[in-house]
Amino acid sequence: MDRTSLTEAELAGLLRGDLWRRIDLLAETGSTNADLARAARDGEAEGLVLVAEHQTAGRGRLDRSWEAPAASGLTFSVLLRPESVDDRRWGWLPLAAGVAAATAVEEVAGVGARLKWPNDLLAGTEEGKLAGILSERVETPDGPAAVIGIGLNVTMREEELPVPNATSLLLAGGTSTDRVQLLGAILDGIERWYQAWRAAGGDADSCGLRQEYASRCATLGRSVRVQLPGEESVTGTAREIDADGALGVTTESGEVTVAAGDVVHVE
Ligand code: BTN
């Protein structure tokens, strides 16, 4: 099992498009999302990528934590500033990152991956979670910014899984666990979808993002229970992803739109 440390030189080789300016590498930090949020507030421009081999205070969605042994996967964040796009459409940013991650694990590791709304990456037809994505909006003196953080389990073994429903590319039978190639493919994918979405003014239909997301989404058409932030939940059938990237659910009492929550596929 390969847990060789990444090097700055091999990461620099991934700067092949127009968006990414620099890829910084840390052996250890608290949270790459927290670090990039700080950098954004200090005036950093978009296009910075921060990779850490180990996080001591990794953050997950809905106030959860994200834990992974050092070098057992990819833990990184990217800084974007889509100022020209209406705020309401920023919900597509983590969904675009999810599409990029799903495409990358298929291309590089041969593991079919689907997305549980909004952006949990599931391996194959199983419900095992390969990756999670945390998107945070940061107010800065230069305008709002978005920090998108991705945690992808690559060589994690069964006994290392932080929660029973997690998995890794190794456990899912991946044909490659090359973290440099995986990171490169994810960054290429984020760049492609981000540029297309931004050029379309955040219209996920006209740039093809909504269709691509829907084709990879394991949630649409399913019976779901969505745990909302706080105590409440919504139960029904996942019907659509709307123009803002929110989930439309048909419930017994009518249509409900969920902007943030944790989906359980009920059947
Ligand atoms: C989730 O599924 O709850 C989202 C997990 C996101 C984890 C990544 S790891 C890199 C980045 N830094 C963090 O502190 N969190 C994200």
Side-chain angles (χ1 to χ4, degrees), residues 36-49:
L36 279 198
R38 202 172 310 114
R41 284 190 287 265
D42 289 347
E44 187 73 48
E46 79 169 356
L48 177 61
V49 181

Side-chain angles (χ1 to χ4, degrees), residues 181-195:
Q181 274 192 39
L182 285 161
L183 179 62
I186 298 172
L187 292 177
D188 289 350
I190 295 177
E191 171 161 3
R192 175 185 164 211
W193 285 113
Y194 176 63
Q195 305 282 38

Side-chain angles (χ1 to χ4, degrees), residues 162-245:
V163 286
N165 71 338
T167 190
S168 70
L169 286 178
L170 185 74
L171 293 170
T175 53
S176 167
T177 55
D178 184 325
R179 292 188 298 147
V180 178
Q181 274 192 39
L182 285 161
L183 179 62
I186 298 172
L187 292 177
D188 289 350
I190 295 177
E191 171 161 3
R192 175 185 164 211
W193 285 113
Y194 176 63
Q195 305 282 38
W197 169 84
R198 185 167 57 175
D203 181 345
D205 265 325
S206 65
C207 69
L209 177 58
R210 177 141 66 150
Q211 299 84 322
E212 184 68 21
Y213 180 87
S215 75
R216 295 182 174 278
C217 183
T219 302
L220 286 173
R222 299 278 290 269
S223 294
V224 293
R225 188 174 66 251
V226 190
Q227 189 64 48
L228 305 177
E231 295 297 300
E232 283 179 55
S233 64
V234 169
T235 302
T237 304
R239 179 180 32 91
E240 64 151 6
I241 309 299
D242 80 2
D244 300 331

